[in-house]
Amino acid sequence: MPPKRSRAAFTTALLATTLAAGLLTTPVHAVSGTPAADNTYAFTAKLDIGEGDSKRACSAALLNSSWLLTAASCFADNPAASLDVPAGVPALRTIATIGRTDLKTTTGQVRLVVDLRPHADQDLVLAKLASPVTDITPVALSVTAPVAGEELRVAGHGRTKDEWVLPRLHTGTFTVDSVSGTEVAITGKDGAAVCKGDTGGPAFREASGSVRLVGINTRSWQGGCLGADEAETRTSAIGTRVDTPVLAAWIRVNAILRAPGAPHDYTETGSPDLLARDSSGQLWLEDTRYDLLNKRFTGVPRRLIGPQWNSYNQIEAVGAVGGPASGGFGGTGVGDLVARDASGVLWLYQGKGDGTFATRTEIGPGWQIYQQLAGGGDLTGDGKADLVATDAAGALWLYEGTGDDPAPFAPRRKIGLAGWQHLNQLNLTGNIAGSAAGDLVARDTSGVLWLYQGKGDGTLSPPVEIGPGWNGYTHITAIGDGNVDGKPDLYAFGPNAETYFYEGTGDASALFRARSATPVLRDNWQTYNHVL
């Protein structure tokens, strides 16, 4: 049983004017700001909880095709006393309307909420939809913390300063006042305020055309909101941060949400998997599942994917973030593969989520000009996985992911001029060292491992040495977040079946902790000639 979440903050003077979920006697209603343009911030959802005179309303954010994130206080019987919410089917019938900017229309999608997964001690709950929503782009989680003075946008379906029943999604600009380990305090600009019905709504950062979720609204003073104390003028509010590694890991495990740079989850368990090809050309799935409760890897028997994979001279795991359902390059919701054959044709294998792949589709010819391919990370910060390639002249090329099938890449652009032919292992990862987006980890021919931090615009910072001695490994694989702590990790494989796990620290000055043996991985890894 999770502990009761009495939360001392709810007993402060702030409580008197917070709890934006509220009990409503009329249909409910958004941020006291400005109406949102049609089809903008479509990831914002309206929740109608209960029926009749006891009906209440909240807002929420769409994280992937099947899950919303909102405030646990929306579902608590008495939020002032406890945020305890039973897991499972909601006690009150809950309807989610997603992507309907104008509530007078029939756009967007309407779903019943069928399952709640509350956080043990934060005002957060994951809400599962009865069926997936595949035509609305979810919001991606921020990988960087908010800072004082930064501006965030807040969206919600609550009331405004002069409307009880709001026909349209509203948004407002808020300035970050302070940041704690779990919360972010904000104040509305130009009269914007978080009102009743906005609880659970998203606070997000907009930059360079991308949107990243920073927090979930939980409490506010409601200054200027209709029905609030007319003497109250404060427009400040509190949100629960979702950018921290611990919160991100909790979300990924419970909502099976894959982060940029975690392309290896082919089984929808929330933990990454490995694929390995043996000398006969058979491709195997090695499920390296991590038990978050007991903090250990658990062994799962390997599964045969299929034969004849030795017809490819390059196989690469690619994205888990592109496409309409936060899925891979093909938009399937799980990691996909690309494979290059001897003639230079590149093929796409879309993951099905059960450890198998759909029939391949051709991406295009001409890929024989590249020495190495590496995929899975998001170098451009747009929430879609990218691919990089090195040619014989030593140049590094970026193929920006589009999330589109059958055209998963934009035209290539050169991001490295020379010298890349001296690297014999490339791993495009997630935000492994606190950079703006994905990073690149690469080994040179002398065995030194280097970190190239992504800038978030598709380019890389100058390399930083991680350390020498990595030429003792036959394969180095950026598995993604292997131990589900919010930081990408590495696996390394020796020539005599040695298997090691390098836990990521998120600190560029000491990127990995000392290696540890991984007994969960079988003792016949020397039979594999390619691991990804």
Side-chain angles (χ1 to χ4, degrees):
M1 288 288 291
K4 295 282 186 179
R5 293 163 293 166
S6 57
R7 184 188 286 271
F10 271 73
T11 65
T12 66
L14 186 61
L15 172 65
T17 52
T18 67
L19 300 183
L23 293 179
L24 302 176
T25 57
T26 59
V28 221
H29 340 296
V31 172
S32 181
T34 57
D38 287 344
N39 303 317
T40 57
Y41 314 121
F43 52 81
T44 307
K46 179 178 183 288
L47 297 179
D48 290 302
I49 303 169
E51 300 174 286
D53 291 343
S54 63
K55 184 177 180 180
R56 66 179 76 169
C58 277
S59 299
L62 183 70
L63 294 183
N64 64 11
S65 60
S66 295
W67 290 90
L68 301 172
L69 182 64
T70 187
S73 50
C74 293
F75 296 91
D77 289 338
N78 182 5
S82 172
L83 295 182
D84 188 49
V85 175
V89 179
L92 299 175
R93 187 172 188 266
T94 302
I95 300 296
T97 304
I98 310 111
R100 187 170 294 177
T101 309
D102 186 346
L103 295 177
K104 300 191 303 295
T105 69
T106 58
T107 59
Q109 299 289 337
V110 178
R111 296 289 190 275
L112 182 69
V113 173
V114 295
D115 187 23
L116 298 178
R117 296 186 185 179
H119 193 277
D121 52 22
Q122 300 295 326
D123 189 6
L124 290 175
V125 65
L126 288 158
K128 186 175 184 179
L129 305 174
S131 60
V133 172
T134 59
D135 59 348
I136 297 173
T137 301
V139 63
L141 297 180
S142 173
V143 294
T144 56
V147 295
E150 179 182 5
E151 289 190 352
L152 301 176
R153 183 165 291 276
V154 172
H157 282 284
R159 65 183 66 168
T160 65
K161 60 183 62 180
D162 51 16
E163 291 179 288
W164 288 88
V165 182
L166 191 71
R168 180 178 284 274
L169 175 72
H170 271 54
T171 71
T173 301
F174 289 71
T175 302
V176 175
D177 299 323
S178 61
V179 180
S180 71
T182 58
E183 295 182 330
V184 54
I186 57 178
T187 295
K189 297 183 64 176
D190 303 321
V194 174
C195 300
K196 284 191 175 183
D198 294 325
T199 294
F204 49 91
R205 176 187 299 116
E206 294 182 281
S208 304
S210 67
V211 174
R212 293 297 176 101
L213 184 66
V214 172
I216 291 294
N217 301 325
T218 59
R219 326 191 283 289
S220 77
W221 289 102
Q222 299 188 57
C225 297
L226 189 62
D229 185 348
E230 293 183 1
E232 181 57 72
T233 60
R234 287 168 291 185
T235 60
S236 52
I238 300 292
T240 300
R241 289 175 55 190
V242 299
D243 63 278
T244 66
V246 172
L247 246 301
W250 174 78
I251 290 170
R252 285 205 304 278
V253 169
N254 285 276
I256 314 179
L257 178 68
R258 282 152 295 277
H264 294 264
D265 186 5
Y266 307 109
T267 53
E268 292 198 292
T269 61
S271 296
D273 310 307
L274 284 169
L275 294 174
R277 182 181 63 188
D278 65 23
S279 56
S280 70
Q282 296 184 113
L283 190 67
W284 297 87
L285 173 71
E286 295 277 0
D287 190 338
T288 60
R289 196 169 305 179
Y290 190 77
D291 181 348
L292 189 62
L293 181 63
N294 296 303
K295 298 187 180 304
R296 60 183 178 86
F297 289 96
T298 59
V300 178
R302 68 176 183 172
R303 283 187 277 166
L304 179 63
I305 300 295
Q308 299 181 343
W309 286 81
N310 52 1
S311 62
Y312 298 116
N313 54 34
Q314 178 92 42
I315 308 170
E316 186 62 36
V318 292
V321 292
S326 290
F329 283 130
T332 58
V334 293
D336 306 327
L337 298 180
V338 293
R340 182 183 65 187
D341 65 25
S343 69
V345 175
L346 194 68
W347 300 89
L348 170 67
Y349 286 86
Q350 289 183 252
K352 294 181 179 181
D354 60 356
T356 65
F357 297 89
T359 303
R360 69 179 189 178
T361 58
E362 183 177 337
I363 293 174
W367 291 79
Q368 71 275 11
I369 64 173
Y370 297 118
Q371 292 183 324
Q372 291 191 78
L373 303 175
D378 176 20
L379 286 184
T380 57
D382 63 354
K384 301 181 180 68
D386 305 316
L387 191 72
V388 294
T390 59
D391 63 22
L396 181 70
W397 298 87
L398 170 68
Y399 285 85
E400 186 173 348
T402 65
D404 185 28
D405 177 22
F409 304 112
R412 71 176 189 174
R413 57 186 170 110
K414 188 182 291 187
I415 60 171
L417 297 179
W420 291 86
Q421 74 271 26
H422 300 301
L423 301 172
N424 56 25
Q425 284 265 328
L426 292 182
N427 279 281
L428 191 58
T429 78
N431 178 14
I432 201 168
S435 58
D439 303 322
L440 186 70
V441 173
R443 183 184 65 184
D444 66 25
T445 52
S446 70
V448 176
L449 198 66
W450 300 88
L451 167 68
Y452 295 81
Q453 288 189 257
K455 297 180 180 179
D457 60 359
T459 63
L460 299 166
S461 298
V464 175
E465 182 176 337
I466 296 172
W470 290 77
N471 50 353
Y473 298 121
T474 57
H475 308 290
I476 301 169
T477 302
I479 187 68
D481 186 9
N483 61 350
V484 201
D485 65 350
K487 304 179 185 71
D489 309 306
L490 291 183
Y491 278 116
F493 307 95
N496 299 309
E498 309 99 318
T499 58
Y500 297 102
F501 178 72
Y502 284 86
E503 181 182 357
T505 66
D507 181 0
S509 63
L511 197 55
F512 301 105
R513 293 186 173 87
R515 71 182 186 181
S516 58
T518 54
V520 65
L521 302 180
R522 67 193 69 258
D523 58 4
N524 63 341
W525 283 83
Q526 73 273 22
T527 65
Y528 295 130
N529 57 31
H530 187 55
V531 182
L532 59 143

